[in-house]
Amino acid sequence: MEVVIRPTAAEGSCLAADLVESVVATTPRAVLGLATGSSPVGLYDELGHRVATGRVSFAGCRAFLLDEYVGLPTGHPQRYRSVIDEIFVRQVGMSSDSVDGPNGNASDLAEACVEYERRITEAGGVDIQLLGLGSDGHVAFNEPSSSLASRTRLKTLTRRTREDNARFFGGDVAAVPRHCLTQGLGTILEARRIVLIAAGVSKAPAVRAMVEGPVSALVPASVLQLHPRVTVILDEPAASLLQLADYYREVWENKPAWQRP
């Protein structure tokens, strides 16, 4: 696990954009794994700027969402398909048809999960998966106690997650759905490269547990320690509880040029 600490969240977003750009430059038909939430917004804005200036193109790319709420109607502004269209697809000029997500309104949710896994496999798998980090250590909607080998499935959201997400629903926890469909941890680990972004002091305990704690279902994101190509990008507040923060800084500052994006 590569841990990179940048002074600000904005600088972290620029570094994450460098990593995405490097993948698309070498694989113009790359398959992207897209996260929603607050963490990747700065990254998506930066990628939109780079598209506008002709630095990178996503015209040949495909993308898959990590998760989707169950029961929100098509067109609902907080449905993740609507959110990703707004914060990413329109900014980078991708066709909406090239972006896929789990069907949270399917009549058979279990079958919808199986079908979603099949579509990811048929696309050749994910080349670069973007992730945020929940304050309780979850990634996607794999809540604490999730199987480390889990696949796309129905999950019940914890009260804490619903409280965290209430800001997107006008502060009304009751408006946040109780269920979602989410890629499993086993599904996420199959991506060829993973980039996780976390910013702010509120994420510091989860960051410490994910990076320096044991691999445990109580901290689902800790499973990323088992992946061979994970880059964790943090701002200083998010990294504030890391025991080896100085070491991570030294490693990044002395990374060979040929290993950089």
Side-chain angles (χ1 to χ4, degrees):
M1 178 180 284
E2 177 181 51
V3 179
V4 184
I5 303 170
R6 307 305 296 148
T8 66
E11 290 174 82
S13 293
C14 286
L15 174 58
D18 290 343
L19 295 174
V20 174
E21 182 181 336
S22 69
V23 169
V24 175
T26 57
T27 311
R29 300 185 67 81
V31 178
L32 312 176
L34 301 178
T36 50
S38 301
S39 297
V41 170
L43 162 60
Y44 295 154
D45 288 345
E46 176 63 23
L47 290 174
H49 172 72
R50 295 185 187 193
V51 168
T53 57
R55 179 167 166 175
V56 64
S57 172
F58 292 88
C61 295
R62 293 187 61 182
F64 289 90
L65 302 187
L66 278 172
D67 38 40
E68 183 60 271
Y69 287 119
V70 169
L72 290 185
T74 300
H76 189 287
Q78 294 309 320
R79 189 168 180 260
Y80 282 143
R81 183 52 194 266
S82 301
V83 171
I84 210 67
D85 281 347
E86 181 68 27
I87 67 175
F88 180 75
V89 174
R90 293 173 189 167
Q91 287 208 81
V92 303
M94 286 181 69
S95 165
S96 185
D97 292 340
S98 65
V99 180
D100 200 348
N103 184 2
N105 292 319
S107 58
D108 186 336
L109 293 173
E111 179 58 30
C113 292
V114 172
E115 175 63 16
Y116 193 55
E117 290 267 344
R118 183 187 64 77
R119 296 199 299 274
I120 294 173
T121 299
E122 288 183 348
V126 173
D127 291 298
I128 182 166
Q129 176 65 61
L130 306 176
L131 297 173
L133 178 67
S135 60
D136 60 358
H138 73 257
V139 287
F141 275 132
N142 294 284
E143 301 282 21
S145 80
S146 291
S147 165
L148 302 184
S150 54
R151 311 301 301 189
T152 301
R153 68 211 186 284
L154 176 74
K155 288 292 290 182
T156 300
L157 302 182
T158 65
R159 175 75 182 185
R160 182 172 179 179
T161 295
R162 294 176 69 233
E163 289 173 347
D164 286 347
N165 287 2
R167 67 190 187 278
F168 301 116
F169 291 81
D172 183 6
V173 176
V176 183
R178 291 184 179 275
H179 298 96
C180 68
L181 302 185
T182 184
Q183 286 189 34
L185 297 171
T187 310
I188 291 168
L189 287 176
E190 290 181 352
R192 283 177 273 280
R193 185 161 191 175
I194 295 175
V195 175
L196 183 145
I197 304 171
V201 70
S202 66
K203 298 296 178 70
V207 166
R208 177 177 60 183
M210 170 186 68
V211 173
E212 296 180 341
V215 175
S216 168
L218 292 178
V219 184
S222 66
V223 77
L224 298 179
Q225 294 179 33
L226 304 178
H227 193 282
R229 294 198 74 194
V230 176
T231 300
V232 175
I233 301 175
L234 310 169
D235 67 357
E236 288 287 353
S240 60
L241 297 180
L242 289 175
Q243 181 178 350
L244 298 178
D246 288 342
Y247 171 69
Y248 304 137
R249 294 187 186 96
E250 182 179 0
V251 169
W252 176 252
E253 289 168 3
N254 292 283
K255 188 172 183 177
W258 61 269
Q259 287 188 327
R260 292 179 180 268

